[in-house]
Amino acid sequence: MDHIQLGLKENWKQFTLLVIVNAFVGGMIGLERSILPQLAEQEFSISTKTALFSFIIAFGLTKAICNYFTGRWANLIGRKNLLVIGWLFALPVPFILIYSQNWNWIIFANLLLGINQGLAWSMAVVMKIDLVGSKKRGLAVGINEFAGYAAVGIVAFLTGLIANTYGVRPYPFYLGIGFSILGLLFSFFFIKDTIHHVSNEGVKSDIPFLKKVFLNTSFTHKSLSGITQAGLVNNLNDGMIWGLLPLILLNKNFNATDIGILTAIYPTIWGLSQLFTGRLSDLYSKKMLLFYGMLLQAAAIITLIWANSFNQFAIIGVVLGLGTALVYPTFINAISDYTHPSQRAESLGTFRFWRDLGYAGGALVTGIIADSLGIDSSILFIGLLTGLSALVILQRVKDVIK
């Protein structure tokens, strides 16, 4: 293992391939971001918010469970193998979205998509961290998340544009056929496993072992659990934005192109900004980056209640994107500070389990409150919860001094 070198420069070829693969992973999510809520109302006549958000709940639950087991299985089955398996689950998704005549098939497609994202995105980020080592870990995560979420935003915009010109089905989903085939081919033929890199790093690490990884990461370790609760709340509000924003814009009589643009601003800013915020998390206080990021999100979400014009929604999208970009790579970088390299995949899997459970929780809570008390009440509740999460970070998380 002496010939194994850690670092971005030393492993740039594999790293670049993993960035491309994660862009395809993000593209699969972008397929649905701006048009699935419209599809539910226009082609399936689904009006209650709780029923409409069922596709996000299915996606979030499946992805969360997959994240956990992917983390546990990474050393056992192999990182590359899990990545390839993830893409096999993606192949049927665009075809189901194109041809389904029943909403239950849409939910089934999102179960498959959740498995794809849980396996493929998890392994893409874990493998990048394995390659670069601890000094530029935040930068590696930032580049990974940039590729994924920039793809989400760009594809959300493209599908909105295509839907406005040619209709909600089938043309927007053709992109997904290309992403899933390319993702599988790249992963199978070009990606190499990184298990030797993580073994090499583990020999040199002085981070203590966690006794019970799931329990420590979730509840008992102050810093790990403080970071994990913020991850859950972050995706709780993302689940709300995913489901509600297209409907809010639809109710305010924006056309499909404008809806595509406005729903794309938030994930695009989120994606682009992580190129910088990822590196920031290597250099500055992770605790304070998490605190300010959650606070920015809370302010942007609550402001949604009073927004009416295109420019107002655009500004909110930018602020929300920046707030999310501050926390997203920092979450993973901070979790890695407290876990031994040999336990890192499992601890990250646990964190990502709770974080992506937020998608399901956000969609469910938002749907129930929106149906019973109105959309504004659900926005206010999620916004205040996000602000509270920022205060929990301040109270529980401690910075690792390097």
Side-chain angles (χ1 to χ4, degrees), residues 160-338:
L161 201 65
I162 295 166
N164 196 43
T165 310
Y166 300 106
V168 177
R169 290 201 291 187
Y171 296 104
F173 299 117
Y174 285 169
L175 293 170
I177 298 170
F179 296 147
S180 56
I181 291 169
L182 287 170
L184 178 62
L185 293 175
F186 268 68
S187 300
F188 187 79
F189 289 108
F190 302 119
I191 300 296
K192 297 172 185 173
D193 210 304
T194 57
I195 189 64
H196 295 307
H197 290 78
V198 78
S199 302
N200 198 39
E201 187 187 352
V203 172
K204 300 168 186 173
S205 177
D206 58 359
I207 299 171
F209 284 87
L210 298 171
K211 289 180 181 175
K212 295 180 178 177
V213 177
F214 183 84
L215 206 62
N216 296 150
T217 307
S218 305
F219 307 110
T220 57
H221 190 293
K222 272 194 169 186
S223 292
L224 284 172
S225 61
I227 297 159
T228 298
Q229 66 78 29
L232 186 145
V233 173
N234 180 91
N235 278 23
L236 199 80
N237 68 48
D238 188 38
M240 180 201 75
I241 296 294
W242 186 355
L244 272 191
L245 187 59
L247 295 183
I248 295 168
L249 297 170
L250 210 57
N251 291 341
K252 292 185 184 288
N253 299 315
F254 286 93
N255 63 39
T257 303
D258 283 346
I259 292 172
I261 293 168
L262 290 171
T263 52
I265 286 172
Y266 155 54
T268 304
I269 295 293
W270 171 2
L272 289 171
S273 302
Q274 286 181 98
L275 278 175
F276 310 101
T277 58
R279 186 61 180 141
L280 266 183
S281 74
D282 289 325
L283 303 171
Y284 297 108
S285 164
K286 296 179 182 69
K287 172 181 178 170
M288 296 316 294
L289 288 174
L290 292 173
F291 171 70
Y292 288 123
M294 295 303 285
L295 215 55
L296 263 183
Q297 288 178 44
I301 289 163
I302 292 168
T303 311
L304 266 176
I305 295 168
W306 297 282
N308 282 304
S309 70
F310 183 94
N311 287 343
Q312 287 169 342
F313 280 109
I315 291 166
I316 288 169
V318 169
V319 174
L320 190 58
L322 286 171
T324 311
L326 280 172
V327 301
Y328 230 70
T330 311
F331 283 144
I332 292 173
N333 200 358
I335 289 282
S336 301
D337 276 346
Y338 295 99

Side-chain angles (χ1 to χ4, degrees), residues 4-21 124 127-133 136 139-140 143-144 186 190-192 194 197:
I4 298 290
Q5 289 185 298
L6 302 178
L8 191 53
K9 191 169 71 174
E10 292 81 356
N11 298 286
W12 71 270
K13 288 180 183 176
Q14 276 296 298
F15 192 92
T16 304
L17 286 168
L18 284 164
V19 169
I20 294 166
V21 166
M127 290 170 87
K128 284 189 187 71
I129 293 172
D130 292 345
L131 290 172
V132 302
K136 291 189 177 176
L139 177 63
I143 293 170
N144 182 77
F186 268 68
F190 302 119
I191 300 296
K192 297 172 185 173
T194 57
H197 290 78

